[in-house]
Amino acid sequence: WATIIPWLYDSSGKPCFLMVRQYRHGSDSVTIEFPAGMVDEGETPKEAVIRELLEETGRIPEGEVVELGSVSPNSAFMNNRVSFFFVKGVREVTGQSLDTHEQIDILIVPVQEVLDSMGTGVYDNGIMMIAHAFFLRYAQKHPELLV
């Protein structure tokens, strides 16, 4: 599957992430995550994250979609990979196009709030921890993303 980290400024000029809040059946909990989803057959991970961003949020990338990396989420018993991408800026072009029984709230969350809360509460998700690590590595070369 694939995850995209959409970064933007809020109306006050604060660096934020575009995130989604949704119920997760596996953990029987509500989580806040970056838009993400399965890579369909015949689709690249980059194409998948652009599609998922549009479906889940009604937005498209304004900037270049940068691949941050790809890892095996649990090589002990799974043979799949998860890819991570970053985009600076998004533009709303339509409403959500959700799957049946999918209910997703769109959030704009300050970057610092996400970084401070990662691994706890609604941010208690292993894939989000990996996304967090990839973002921080990328931000080392782009410190303006944290200011």
Side-chain angles (χ1 to χ4, degrees), residues 69-108:
S70 174
V71 297
S72 172
N74 189 340
S75 57
F77 64 90
M78 297 170 71
N79 65 0
N80 65 333
R81 297 198 61 84
V82 58
S83 299
F84 296 88
F85 296 84
F86 172 85
V87 65
K88 188 174 182 179
V90 294
R91 180 169 45 96
E92 187 172 358
V93 295
T94 189
Q96 293 173 302
S97 178
L98 303 176
D99 295 334
T100 305
H101 306 298
E102 196 172 35
Q103 185 176 3
I104 295 177
D105 298 318
I106 303 165
L107 307 173
I108 296 176

Side-chain angles (χ1 to χ4, degrees), residues 1-6 39 43-50 61 63-72 81-88 130-131 133-139 141-142 145:
W1 64 92
T3 299
I4 190 163
I5 303 169
V39 178
E43 188 176 47
T44 67
K46 186 175 183 176
E47 291 167 339
V49 293
I50 293 169
E64 175 188 0
V65 177
V66 178
E67 185 171 6
L68 300 180
S70 174
V71 297
S72 172
R81 297 198 61 84
V82 58
S83 299
F84 296 88
F85 296 84
F86 172 85
V87 65
K88 188 174 182 179
I130 299 168
F134 275 118
F135 172 77
L136 286 175
R137 184 171 70 183
Y138 186 73
K141 295 178 183 171
H142 305 275
L145 299 175

Side-chain angles (χ1 to χ4, degrees), residues 7 15 17 111-112 115 135-136 139-140 142-147:
W7 183 97
F17 293 123
V111 167
Q112 197 58 55
L115 298 180
F135 172 77
L136 286 175
Q140 286 178 336
H142 305 275
E144 72 279 5
L145 299 175
L146 299 172
V147 178

